[in-house]
Amino acid sequence: VTGARLVHHRVDLTRWDVESELEAALSEAPVDLLFHLAFLHGRTRSAAFAHELEVIGTLHTLAAAVRAGVRHVVIPSSTVVYGARAGNPVLIDEDAPLHGAPGSRFVTDRVEDERQLLAFRRDHPEVGLTVLRFAPVLGPTVDNPATRYFRRPLVPTLLGFDPLWQAVHEDDVRALLVRQLEAPVSGTFNVVSDDVLPLSSLIRLAGTIPLPLPPPLARAALRGLNSAGITATPGA
């Protein structure tokens, strides 16, 4: 117990029997809202561990929440679930299909999570569910593929292309989660900036230098950054 209103429970979402432990923890007192935020944003070289934590762990969490009588669940997702397609509109709304990125473990797990959440919403209408599809989260204390990419002294880009980006600041993410705690709203929402910026502008704002490369060299550079856990695109 860390205070009169805060109780800490340490659980391992990759354990096969974690569901009963979660249910017991959530049943100790009435839970109006549960933030399920156990998703990887740092480096990991174990695709199996990531899948167990993010996909199977979400299944365990949702099942325990239902049995414990939780009234509302908030779960983060990512705009990467839409996939990068040449035919995509400049701005994509929440009703767009989730094409994902075949070959990317990170994106495939996010799409699978979303399919689970769709089934959960259908099967358990009594539980409020908020899915927040975040654009890349940027900020001074954030460590994720996008921030590691923009912190490079030279940022590899594709020669002749300057794609439009949306991002969201960590302070806005924090404010949104607090707002959900105070007045939760069910539904699926893109969490993005109002404006779009070309990648070159974001690179300049980050104080670094773009390194335009022809496609074969750019792909090789991004694969190398991906292997090191530093990439602008989700790693496989």
Side-chain angles (χ1 to χ4, degrees):
V1 177
T2 317
R5 301 180 60 191
L6 181 63
V7 178
H8 178 260
H9 293 275
R10 185 180 181 86
V11 296
D12 180 358
L13 289 180
T14 65
R15 274 193 12 234
W16 66 271
D17 59 345
V18 71
E19 225 168 89
S20 58
E21 189 175 350
L22 278 172
E23 182 186 358
L26 293 170
S27 299
E28 287 183 2
V31 175
D32 291 325
L33 186 141
L34 170 67
F35 289 103
H36 174 44
L37 306 177
F39 294 88
L40 296 172
H41 300 286
R43 306 178 186 186
T44 177
R45 297 189 179 276
S46 175
F49 170 78
H51 182 81
E52 285 294 319
L53 174 66
E54 298 183 340
V55 178
I56 308 305
T58 296
L59 280 174
H60 289 317
T61 301
L62 292 173
V66 170
R67 292 206 300 265
V70 173
R71 296 173 59 186
H72 199 105
V73 181
V74 176
I75 297 186
S77 184
S78 170
T79 53
V80 299
V81 295
Y82 297 116
R85 301 238 171 162
N88 280 348
V90 174
L91 300 177
I92 299 176
D93 65 25
E94 291 85 352
D95 295 326
L98 307 186
H99 294 298
S104 169
R105 185 280 308 167
F106 175 89
V107 179
T108 298
D109 281 353
R110 289 293 189 273
V111 173
E112 189 172 344
D113 268 327
E114 290 248 7
R115 289 175 180 149
Q116 290 178 179
L117 296 172
L118 186 63
F120 178 83
R121 181 176 279 131
R122 181 189 63 241
D123 296 340
H124 299 283
E126 76 281 4
V127 181
L129 177 64
T130 304
V131 180
L132 302 173
R133 291 178 183 157
F134 289 102
V137 179
L138 305 179
T141 70
V142 179
D143 178 26
N144 62 27
T147 59
R148 292 195 293 272
Y149 175 73
F150 288 119
R151 286 172 184 151
R152 303 297 297 169
L154 291 173
V155 178
T157 62
L158 197 60
L159 183 66
F161 293 89
D162 197 10
L164 296 176
W165 270 56
Q166 284 178 297
V168 60
H169 195 275
E170 61 180 313
D171 290 344
D172 295 321
V173 171
R174 190 179 301 113
L176 174 61
L177 294 177
V178 170
R179 194 175 309 136
Q180 283 293 310
L181 181 62
E182 296 169 344
V185 178
S186 292
T188 299
F189 306 97
N190 291 336
V191 183
V192 301
S193 55
D194 289 334
D195 299 320
V196 296
L197 283 175
L199 177 59
S200 58
S201 295
L202 282 172
I203 292 171
R204 286 194 295 271
L205 287 170
T208 187
I209 301 170
L211 179 63
L213 298 171
L217 287 178
R219 283 193 289 269
L222 288 172
R223 279 197 300 269
L225 291 176
N226 179 60
S227 297
I230 306 166
T231 176
T233 55

